[in-house]
Amino acid sequence: HVQLVESGGGSVQAGGSLKLSCVVSGYKYPTYHIGWFRRAPGKIHEVVAAIYNPGGRSYSADSVKGRFTASQDSGEHTQYLQMDSLKPEDTAMYYCALNPHGEKWDVFEQYQYWGQGTQVTVSS
């Protein structure tokens, strides 16, 4: 079975940084995406970044481009989301998820496995 365990959330002042981690285990897919999503109260899931494997190609959404960067360790088992220049509107529950289809990085329905989420709160 696939497991994703997230950590690294917390509270930070606007302009600060956080780095989220996602430990992935149990996967058996030759190609896949690890996506980073966020969901604020009253809003739908928004994909903010992703990594495609093999190769580690990274993607980011326009809303966070230049501020958020997805990366991974050399073994692909630990994923990271570096978040810089945080804004209050970045406040949300953040999730990592696995898309085993390898087709698209930014389609919610493609992701089948999800972490438990980690809360990010950005204060003014």
Side-chain angles (χ1 to χ4, degrees):
H1 60 281
V2 176
Q3 290 185 319
L4 302 95
V5 180
E6 299 167 325
S7 62
S11 297
V12 65
Q13 295 292 315
S17 298
L18 286 172
K19 189 173 185 178
L20 308 183
S21 298
C22 175
V23 178
V24 184
S25 63
Y27 61 92
K28 57 179 182 179
Y29 308 107
T31 61
Y32 61 97
H33 290 90
I34 298 294
W36 289 94
F37 291 79
R38 66 185 181 186
R39 187 170 189 172
K43 298 182 179 180
I44 63 172
H45 284 92
E46 177 189 15
V47 60
V48 297
I51 289 282
Y52 174 81
N53 285 310
R57 179 183 292 180
S58 64
Y59 305 87
S60 60
D62 289 343
S63 60
V64 303
K65 197 174 295 293
R67 300 189 298 120
F68 291 10
T69 304
S71 62
Q72 63 187 7
D73 65 12
S74 60
E76 304 178 1
H77 291 167
T78 304
Q79 307 288 320
Y80 303 99
L81 183 67
Q82 178 67 47
M83 304 185 294
D84 298 317
S85 301
L86 283 162
K87 305 174 181 179
E89 53 263 43
D90 295 320
T91 295
M93 186 73 75
Y94 283 74
Y95 302 86
C96 62
L98 190 148
N99 169 6
H101 301 294
E103 297 175 351
K104 299 178 179 179
W105 71 274
D106 58 348
V107 177
F108 175 84
E109 291 80 5
Q110 293 290 312
Y111 288 85
Q112 295 185 357
Y113 306 99
W114 292 80
Q116 80 285 358
T118 184
Q119 179 68 39
V120 172
T121 302
V122 184
S123 302
S124 299

